[in-house]
Amino acid sequence: MTEYQLIEADETVYRDGSIKLHGPEGFEGMRRAGQLAASILDDIATMVAPGVTTAAIDDRVRELTLAAGAVPATMGYRGYAHSCCISVNHVICHGIPSEKALKEGDIVNVDVTPLLDGWHGDTSRMFFVGDVPLKARRLVDVTYECLMLGIEAAQPGARLGDIGAAIEAHARQFRYGVVREFCGHGLGRLFHDAPEVIHAARAGTGPELKPGMFFTIEPMINLGKPHAKVLSDGWTAVTRDKSLSAQFEHSIGITETGNEIFTASPKGLHQPPYY
């Protein structure tokens, strides 16, 4: 049976399997953290170009995060040593920044999570590196559509499975694979918390969505089959068939009448191309 827990403004929270329900103070904290995260991705939009290293992008993310009075939640998390994750082409998620330069035609996901005043703003966005092939552009567009359809399904009184059902139904129209090994998650004062948000699910299943719930929706969609594997570094997840993969992520809160996207772009840079 699903357990829900009402969280007061400054209450210490624990990863105990319960789904946390937050009040106005929580929404305000998540708005600030989410807008910082989104503004960081807005800032680096012009930086993602051929010849730029993913390490340089990571440095810029760290600089912007610290300048805003926040810290990168990924740095030091389970031994991870970088300020964001940067996943290129067939990397599904958790790509490690390096001195390898981006090249013309790459598609890139940058995933940031600043921790601001005790709240986590978690979001990721796809970027095009120069002129990108049509099949890659189409994958990215459909992945963004999957995200927004998942968010549309996240209504009070709905079930968690409704989100994954909406995402999977759309991706299947294009014969794309929906990654199952990784999922969205609850967040707030904790980086990762209950519930798990599966992106391929059956409608009408799972916990009820209640006002005050905070979680991410972050579909990972593959041009080929849905299967993933993690490389020997323990982080980098890639498609088993080496097909391209795309991902978008928003952090949202369930309200009395619908939902609120905490991580929407302040500049309206929702999906590429941005300029």
Side-chain angles (χ1 to χ4, degrees):
M1 185 174 181
T2 303
E3 180 181 348
Y4 297 86
Q5 181 182 0
L6 184 62
I7 302 298
E8 301 297 334
D10 296 320
E11 183 178 348
T12 300
V13 295
Y14 301 94
R15 193 174 288 104
D16 56 8
S18 68
I19 296 176
K20 315 302 190 293
L21 303 178
H22 301 83
E25 297 87 353
F27 274 85
E28 184 54 36
M30 289 298 289
R31 285 185 196 112
R32 292 195 302 269
Q35 283 300 281
L36 173 58
S39 69
I40 290 170
L41 294 184
D42 283 357
D43 183 278
I44 66 168
T46 56
M47 185 179 182
V48 180
V52 176
T53 67
T54 54
I57 296 171
D58 184 65
D59 287 343
R60 180 61 177 162
V61 168
R62 180 167 57 256
E63 175 187 317
L64 292 166
T65 304
L66 296 176
V71 295
T74 55
M75 187 169 285
Y77 180 79
R78 296 183 178 177
Y80 193 77
H82 301 275
S83 299
C84 64
C85 297
I86 304 179
S87 303
V88 183
N89 293 334
H90 74 293
V91 178
I92 295 170
C93 61
H94 303 157
I96 300 174
S98 72
E99 294 301 328
K100 185 175 181 179
L102 299 173
K103 65 182 187 302
E104 188 86 12
D106 286 343
I107 59 171
V108 184
N109 178 272
V110 182
D111 188 340
V112 301
T113 309
L115 173 59
L116 178 66
D117 298 329
W119 297 95
H120 292 83
D122 193 359
T123 187
S124 81
R125 205 180 297 169
M126 294 300 297
F127 298 83
F128 293 155
V129 182
D131 187 23
V132 171
L134 180 59
K135 68 176 182 179
R137 287 173 176 263
R138 187 186 189 198
L139 172 66
V140 170
D141 287 345
V142 171
T143 303
Y144 180 76
E145 292 163 5
C146 284
L147 169 68
M148 299 313 293
L149 287 167
I151 292 173
E152 185 179 318
Q155 301 292 324
R159 295 284 173 175
L160 200 63
D162 297 338
I163 297 170
I167 290 168
E168 185 177 26
H170 190 61
R172 276 187 171 176
Q173 293 182 54
F174 302 88
R175 298 185 178 179
Y176 294 158
V178 181
V179 174
R180 289 157 170 77
E181 288 91 339
F182 302 94
C183 60
H185 52 86
L187 83 168
R189 292 197 175 277
L190 297 173
F191 190 0
H192 296 104
D193 198 14
E196 290 189 341
V197 182
I198 308 300
H199 301 117
R202 186 159 54 90
T205 63
E208 180 183 349
L209 302 183
K210 296 187 177 185
M213 288 175 64
F214 298 160
F215 53 85
T216 69
I217 302 176
E218 46 185 297
M220 290 146 271
I221 310 297
N222 297 345
L223 191 62
K225 296 185 182 300
H227 311 299
K229 67 176 180 179
V230 177
L231 300 185
S232 59
D233 59 29
W235 287 101
T236 308
V238 301
T239 56
R240 283 191 174 273
D241 59 8
K242 294 186 165 59
S243 63
L244 292 175
S245 186
Q247 179 189 24
F248 285 89
E249 175 185 16
H250 275 316
S251 296
I252 72 168
I254 302 298
T255 67
E256 295 289 344
T257 57
N259 62 62
E260 179 177 346
I261 301 174
F262 297 126
T263 48
S265 164
K267 293 183 178 179
L269 307 181
H270 304 303
Q271 63 185 116
Y274 300 115
Y275 298 100

